[in-house]
Amino acid sequence: MALLGVVVRRRYFSPISDIPGPFWASFSLLWQLHKIFTKHTERDTINAHKKWGKFVRISHNEVSISDPDAVREVLQSQMDKADWYKIFSLPDSRYVNTMSETDHKEMVRRTRNVAVGYSLSNILKGEPHIDGCISLFREQLTRLAKLAPAGGIHLDKWVNYLAFDIVGESTFSKSFGFLDSGCDIGNSISNQFKLRLYIAIIGHYNYMHDYLLANPLIAYFNLQPSMHIFDTCLAAVETRSKNTEARNDMIEQWQAQRRAHPDRMAENEVLAAAVANMGAGADTVSSVLQALFYHLLRDQESLKLLREEIDNANLSDIPSYAEVRELPILAACLKEAFRIHTPVGFGIPRVSNGATVCGRYFPPGVILSVSPWVIHRQESIFGPDPESYNARRWLATGKEDEARTAAMERLLIPFGSGYGTCPGKNLAHIEMLKTVSLVVRDFTWKQIREGEDWEFETYFTSVPHDWPVILERRVRT
Ligand code: HEM
């Protein structure tokens, strides 16, 4: 009876009762949970907006908004983050990081503490070490290409190794050794995928997190599913205090910040920030790189333009960031990959503080979410055929196109927007521009199952399934 009461109250007497949406969402989280299990939150949210319009009630207390103005009015506002983020306190609940902090003021404070580590100039100091990872990546791919394995080369695997090793090098001057060993040490990467499912679901029931994965006993008994990643991270932070020759990596910058302002930054914030990088900075990069390689096979015209641009640029053996940062076709190809395959597949959620958004008032406590996938599929902003990869949409040069391109740039939000914008944006751009230009210049690739569409799953990040390729070292004519 009590349950029925809750259902009726939520469905008919909530301040968002009049907002249309799926039946199950009108009184529960069931629609959202179901979409997690069908692994395509992003597509279902797009379809829900096509059916019900700009406001869709996706749970008893959450409204997804497709109006582009919501980027400014929700994401760029001072609304707190929804409780769902608390799940990112890993390895356990003592390690609150910028991702799991929900109070926007506290988050801004934490972000300021760590911002120096992510600055472009700081990351570029570690460029030779990023180059070391990219060089090893090429070496391994070249070796495999010569062996020509019958099952093809599993680019998804190698791109993941690369992204993890770079994030380790940049954060604490130590790669995880994935590229070197050529294997997923301790199944850490594949376990991370399971961790995603856990996060997507338990994020909605945060009180359980403290008893499950965030229970310190789990870490104590070494039961974390991605222990190699956490262990490497913990060891790197712990040995740092004894290492007098540490590079100027992110940890070094954060420790310096702590030394200068011990009152502003607690010791565990350093480890928490390093762990956040592991969770947020590898599969995201890998997902977009894979999307780019996959879609370029389907947009041969863009691939041809890109190859010409790269061949004519006379890049160094491992292209430097300075050489590739302003190549217009490369930039267009990457933006289009970000647009068509944004790693974050969920709506970015904020808690209304009693705000009018896109012409409607939402009382305090209602969760408002903005899905990058939904925004990126808007024909009125991104032009015709938004479902297709077409890098040339970013290259139009006419007078009228200028305003349209500016609007596209403003609404391309793979890194989020406002105070929650991804701090790893610079590192992501650097490693991706360098890797893509190197792969396009030095290799050709085609899918083993040519023409077959790939599959990917989205719990909260959108991860492509295995899609083996035939890779060949390219001989430039
Ligand atoms: C293609 C690459 C990447 C994409 C698309 C991406 C996207 C995002 C998004 C959408 C958020 C959450 C924004 C929000 O909730 O409002 C986020 C947060 C975060 N990202 Fe990234 N990210 C990428 C790469 C990286 C890299 C390379 C790092 C670090 C090495 C990183 C570190 C973080 C951290 C620490 C957070 C949480 C902090 C915060 O919310 O301020 N990300 N990222």
Side-chain angles (χ1 to χ4, degrees), residues 61-80:
N61 192 35
E62 180 164 344
V63 177
S64 171
I65 309 178
S66 65
D67 189 323
D69 286 348
V71 171
R72 184 172 35 82
E73 294 178 18
V74 174
L75 299 183
Q76 292 171 8
S77 76
Q78 304 299 305
M79 293 179 198
D80 286 341

Side-chain angles (χ1 to χ4, degrees), residues 144-218:
L144 285 169
K146 276 196 199 128
L147 290 175
I153 292 166
H154 298 257
L155 256 193
D156 57 317
K157 194 169 92 175
W158 288 98
V159 173
N160 257 312
Y161 295 166
L162 173 70
F164 265 106
D165 279 357
I166 289 182
V167 95
E169 279 289 356
S170 306
T171 309
F172 39 61
S173 307
K174 189 169 176 1
S175 91
F176 291 97
F178 289 126
L179 283 171
D180 198 28
S181 66
C183 73
D184 178 8
I185 305 166
N187 289 328
S188 287
I189 296 180
S190 52
N191 283 342
Q192 275 236 335
F193 299 150
K194 293 178 201 147
L195 197 59
R196 278 199 206 102
L197 180 61
Y198 169 89
I199 286 175
I201 297 169
I202 303 297
H204 292 292
Y205 303 97
N206 255 299
Y207 56 92
M208 290 163 76
H209 185 44
D210 286 346
Y211 301 99
L212 298 169
L213 220 53
N215 180 342
L217 286 176
I218 297 270

Side-chain angles (χ1 to χ4, degrees), residues 75 81 84-85 97-101 107 111 114 118 123 163 166-168 170-171 250 254 272-289 338 341-344 346 348-350 372 413-429 431-432 461:
L75 299 183
K81 287 156 78 177
W84 179 83
Y85 285 91
N97 52 45
T98 48
M99 189 73 161
S100 60
E101 180 60 65
M107 160 128 184
T111 306
V114 292
Y118 297 102
I123 289 171
I166 289 182
V167 95
S170 306
T171 309
M250 290 189 192
W254 298 334
V275 171
N277 278 2
M278 305 310 125
D283 62 344
T284 42
V285 168
S286 140
S287 169
V288 184
L289 280 176
F338 273 121
H341 195 94
T342 304
V344 170
F346 60 89
I348 299 175
R350 299 288 182 260
I413 52 163
F415 294 100
S417 194
Y419 74 84
T421 302
C422 170
K425 214 172 152 175
N426 290 330
L427 174 59
H429 270 120
E431 59 183 300
M432 293 170 85
T461 38

Side-chain angles (χ1 to χ4, degrees), residues 231-244:
D231 276 351
T232 311
C233 213
L234 285 164
V237 176
E238 273 167 19
T239 53
R240 177 48 55 91
S241 50
K242 296 168 207 137
N243 183 355
T244 50

